[in-house]
Amino acid sequence: MEVDKGKGEAEETRKVAEADRDTVTLKSSDGKLFEVSKEAAARLSTVLAGMIAGGSIDDNGTDLKQIGSEALENVVDYCNKHANSIPSAALISSSISFNTAPFKEPEEWERKFVDRLSHDALFDLVEAANFLGMERLLDVTCHKISEMMKGKSPDQIREVFNIKNDYTKEELEEIRQELAWAFYDD
Amino acid sequence: MDSSTAVEEAAPRSAKPTTPPDAGDDDAVDLISGLDDDVLLRVLSLLPDASDAVRTSALSRRWRGLWSRVPALRFASRPGSGATTGGEQRAALERFAAFVDGFVSRRAQSGCAAIESLSIVYATGSSDILEKPPPPPVFVARVVFAIGRPHETNERDTQRRQLMPAYVHAVQGWIQNAFLHGHGDDDDDENVVLLEGLHSPARLETLRLALEGAIRLRLPSTVKFASLAHLSLERITIAADGGDGARLLGHLVSSATCPHLQKLCMRNINLHAFSEEMRLEAAMLSELCMEGVKTVMSLKLWTPKLRVLHMYTCSHKMLMISAPKLEELVISFHQGYPPSCLEIHGDLLCVRRLKICLWSHSPCASSRYEAENDTNISLLKHFGSLTCLDVTLLRGQNVSFAGSYLEHVK
């Protein structure tokens, strides 16, 4: 979904140009530019929706200083992929659904999308999704993290995420006793 | 794994070589502990079992006590725990119940956040059983009549498929002492779980209970879920005292107990004793799905705001429906046993979508199946504004004759 709007259009009044465009340009902390479907961005990100509605989108690249280029690329990639699956998404939201779950399981493509990420990229993406108010992307990435934790002992989880155990031996023993009830099936 | 190739077309800039997420080396930094509390709580709420969330307290100081603020929790019994004898199963259930009980009572202490989402699933085998939608009925032909707006059938079909699996999750709320064990007078082979002493402050919105195995649920007679909006009860055997189960179940899901209930799903509910009458009087209820609610002689629905009603393997002798706002009805009867008395109040002028099952070639006890067809046809007379009629033909090849039923619609 690359966009080939000519630069010449910038001559016209910005308001008109902006209304005509169906993409927005986002700029990462390291200065790289990314195009994303305006419709998808507004639908998937509360922050971008607010910026688009408020007219604070910059044609030359809206600064997102908190997000690095790799994470922003993933965000844009996710938005564009999501834009392509609009038909089913629109159908779901408009139809009567018995879905009362706070969380809907990731779809196959969403699973693949997060599975290919490196450890670092996954966490960068979580933070980007959180910053941009992307509820669904946040769920999908957090779900991936929870899958990496489930059924593991504290030691195993520390190993996976490089968590440093800063408890003293006494504290740890105290916690283990405190939480003995939570190890009911061991 | 070539999963990366699938995404490269949309990621033209630089698909960097990636390493698997689990490949951590000693120098690697701890990325997870730096996340916002809200994000970590979201991660914990997505864990399949709440014990995983509690145990994260042992990770480091950053994680201590986070579990006490997780808003959404799921309790799921572990499959394949190796319990085979009745005694072992009972012991496993007791450990599970004690854990749930311990958890919710700890969360009731001051300083903890209210549980907004809670799901309790107990299965003696694989808990996957409870996640799967019920098998489709055996049928040989299915005819969908799209009247007026043919494109609606696809959407309609999608809805039908979504309905059951989607309901399978759920639950927001606050439950204290959800599980208490029965009194000592029950025999050893049967476990009775009481639903007594439930407290439901303002936050309770949805609740899912799925219990399988030799468990009987004793329904409370005095409990109120003031804010409950969604309720799902699945695979539950109800311990009924003196055939009172249907009355208590009706009471539990009615406005008297749940004044704000909007969505209700009851699947595979067994009343231990044959019960006379179940009355569901729900002023706010908008969507209702009932499947395999057994041994209830008479079912009466007073649902002024009901829009969607799905009833599968309905086996009641008497069925009364008062639902003036109904828009969609899917109904199938327990094979060959339609209600001998079907009462529908008023003309259901809002109903656009109807799905029924008809027998094309009657098997042995033909009169029963004819009666079932007659009941279904009589249903049609109540619906004057259908735009979509979906007929599933059972056990027969004679599809063409179904076309004649169209005339009833017009």
Side-chain angles (χ1 to χ4, degrees):
Chain A
M1 301 273 293
E2 286 304 288
V3 170
D4 44 302
K5 290 276 177 193
K7 290 281 177 200
E9 269 186 38
E11 302 295 327
E12 298 177 32
T13 60
R14 176 158 291 173
K15 284 283 174 200
V16 174
E18 236 174 61
D20 285 351
R21 290 184 54 179
D22 56 4
T23 62
V24 290
T25 308
L26 305 174
K27 195 197 246 175
S28 67
S29 60
D30 45 347
K32 287 192 182 169
L33 296 176
F34 297 90
E35 296 277 351
V36 63
S37 143
K38 187 187 270 182
E39 184 279 328
R43 183 162 45 89
L44 297 169
S45 159
T46 55
V47 170
L48 291 178
M51 291 172 86
I52 290 166
S56 55
I57 288 287
D58 187 339
D59 261 2
N60 299 319
T62 302
D63 263 333
L64 296 172
K65 292 202 169 66
Q66 294 80 353
I67 304 176
S69 57
E70 195 189 352
L72 192 55
E73 184 178 314
N74 281 321
V75 165
V76 166
D77 192 8
Y78 179 83
C79 287
N80 289 336
K81 276 180 183 300
H82 218 286
N84 292 336
S85 65
I86 288 172
S88 68
L91 195 64
I92 289 163
S93 62
S94 71
S95 68
I96 295 159
S97 165
F98 269 48
N99 192 355
T100 59
F103 173 70
K104 201 171 134 281
E105 289 291 316
E107 289 174 32
E108 187 60 30
W109 72 268
E110 288 175 318
R111 224 174 253 283
K112 280 189 181 151
F113 184 84
V114 293
D115 279 351
R116 89 200 148 90
L117 298 173
S118 71
H119 194 88
D120 289 16
L122 176 63
F123 282 96
D124 284 347
L125 188 55
V126 169
E127 297 207 13
N130 192 35
F131 174 77
L132 292 170
M134 299 179 71
E135 196 66 14
R136 178 60 186 171
L137 183 55
L138 195 52
D139 264 347
V140 170
T141 47
C142 284
H143 182 262
K144 173 65 186 172
I145 296 173
S146 79
E147 282 191 330
M148 293 157 72
M149 298 176 89
K150 73 176 179 191
K152 291 195 167 79
S153 70
D155 280 344
Q156 289 168 323
I157 294 175
R158 280 194 209 102
E159 202 179 314
V160 171
F161 297 102
N162 306 299
I163 297 168
K164 192 175 173 300
N165 179 5
D166 55 2
Y167 286 126
T168 64
K169 266 196 168 138
E170 293 72 30
E171 279 174 327
L172 203 58
E173 187 47 39
E174 183 190 314
I175 285 166
R176 283 194 187 284
Q177 285 182 8
E178 205 178 288
L179 300 179
W181 59 278
F183 293 78
Y184 68 99
D185 60 348
D186 286 356
Chain B
M1 306 295 168
D2 61 352
S3 61
S4 61
T5 57
V7 297
E8 270 170 11
E9 58 195 269
R13 265 162 249 264
S14 63
K16 290 177 187 168
T18 57
T19 49
D22 292 56
D25 53 78
D26 289 343
D27 306 331
V29 280
D30 173 3
L31 294 168
I32 193 170
S33 298
L35 295 174
D36 287 355
D37 280 12
D38 286 349
V39 177
L40 288 184
L41 292 174
R42 192 181 287 245
V43 170
L44 295 186
S45 70
L46 292 170
L47 287 166
D49 189 74
S51 66
D52 286 327
V54 178
R55 283 185 263 184
T56 61
S57 260
L59 292 175
S60 73
R61 291 184 181 164
R62 170 78 182 91
W63 293 79
R64 189 168 192 178
L66 267 183
W67 68 273
S68 67
R69 290 160 51 205
V70 178
L73 292 162
R74 292 187 276 183
F75 295 91
S77 60
R78 300 296 167 91
S81 55
T84 48
T85 67
E88 281 170 358
Q89 285 182 0
R90 188 189 173 98
L93 171 65
E94 279 177 359
R95 282 196 302 277
F96 178 70
F99 174 63
V100 177
D101 194 19
F103 196 106
V104 291
S105 61
R106 278 171 177 84
R107 285 288 294 259
Q109 291 161 9
S110 62
C112 296
I115 301 170
E116 290 174 20
S117 173
L118 180 59
S119 170
I120 301 167
V121 175
Y122 187 84
T124 48
S126 162
S127 58
D128 286 349
I129 296 166
L130 296 166
E131 303 296 335
K132 285 180 187 150
V138 180
F139 66 89
V140 283
R142 183 149 158 263
V143 187
V144 177
F145 301 109
I147 304 155
R149 282 177 285 171
H151 293 300
E152 284 202 344
T153 53
N154 279 337
E155 186 193 338
R156 156 92 193 69
D157 210 34
T158 310
Q159 285 180 13
R160 188 179 58 82
R161 281 198 303 273
Q162 284 167 356
L163 197 70
M164 293 313 299
Y167 218 125
V168 159
H169 297 279
V171 185
Q172 294 184 25
W174 175 283
I175 291 194
Q176 189 179 8
N177 302 327
F179 282 75
L180 296 170
H181 278 79
H183 307 294
D185 55 353
D186 290 297
D187 50 295
D188 278 4
D189 294 336
E190 287 171 340
N191 299 296
V192 177
V193 181
L194 298 179
L195 251 186
E196 203 70 69
L198 297 182
H199 297 267
S200 168
R203 302 284 294 268
L204 177 60
E205 282 183 21
T206 60
L207 169 65
R208 177 191 178 207
L209 260 187
L211 307 168
E212 199 192 39
I215 307 168
R216 286 205 251 151
L217 183 73
R218 178 157 293 159
L219 295 178
S221 51
T222 54
V223 65
K224 189 143 182 151
F225 295 103
S227 56
L228 195 69
H230 309 304
L231 175 64
S232 185
L233 302 170
E234 297 158 44
R235 300 198 181 230
I236 292 175
T237 298
I238 289 168
D241 300 323
D244 214 18
R247 189 186 64 78
L248 286 174
L249 181 61
H251 187 261
L252 181 70
V253 297
S254 286
S255 291
T257 306
C258 308
H260 292 102
L261 198 63
Q262 289 168 24
K263 294 186 184 181
L264 170 63
C265 179
M266 289 185 276
R267 279 172 59 192
N268 298 335
I269 308 287
N270 269 302
L271 293 157
H272 202 257
F274 198 78
S275 286
E276 280 294 320
E277 182 177 290
M278 175 169 163
R279 293 169 71 90
L280 202 165
E281 297 174 46
M284 304 299 286
L285 197 65
S286 165
E287 294 171 32
L288 171 62
C289 179
M290 291 179 76
E291 184 195 4
V293 178
K294 289 172 197 148
T295 60
V296 177
M297 181 88 99
S298 148
L299 175 69
K300 295 184 176 175
L301 303 180
W302 303 88
T303 46
K305 291 198 174 168
L306 197 67
R307 294 186 304 113
V308 180
L309 174 59
H310 287 203
M311 297 187 86
Y312 302 98
T313 56
C314 165
S315 60
H316 317 292
K317 282 268 179 218
M318 199 262 162
L319 176 63
M320 197 283 295
I321 300 172
S322 172
K325 296 277 167 64
L326 199 64
E327 293 169 16
E328 175 175 319
L329 174 64
V330 175
I331 192 160
S332 74
F333 300 109
H334 184 66
Q335 293 190 355
Y337 291 88
S340 49
C341 177
L342 176 68
E343 198 181 319
I344 291 181
H345 286 199
D347 287 327
L348 300 175
L349 292 173
C350 301
V351 176
R352 297 287 183 271
R353 294 170 176 149
L354 175 68
K355 186 193 168 189
I356 53 175
C357 296
L358 293 171
W359 297 94
S360 65
H361 278 84
S362 304
C364 41
S366 65
S367 65
R368 287 194 190 284
Y369 294 91
E370 276 170 26
E372 189 176 329
N373 281 354
D374 288 347
T375 304
N376 276 308
I377 300 307
S378 74
L379 260 180
L380 286 176
K381 293 173 185 160
H382 291 273
F383 308 107
S385 321
L386 288 185
T387 56
C388 180
L389 172 62
D390 180 338
V391 177
T392 300
L393 288 179
L394 298 147
R395 286 198 203 165
Q397 283 81 38
N398 193 358
V399 176
S400 61
F401 92 118
S404 65
Y405 295 134
L406 262 176
E407 287 168 19
H408 290 276
V409 181
K410 290 180 173 165

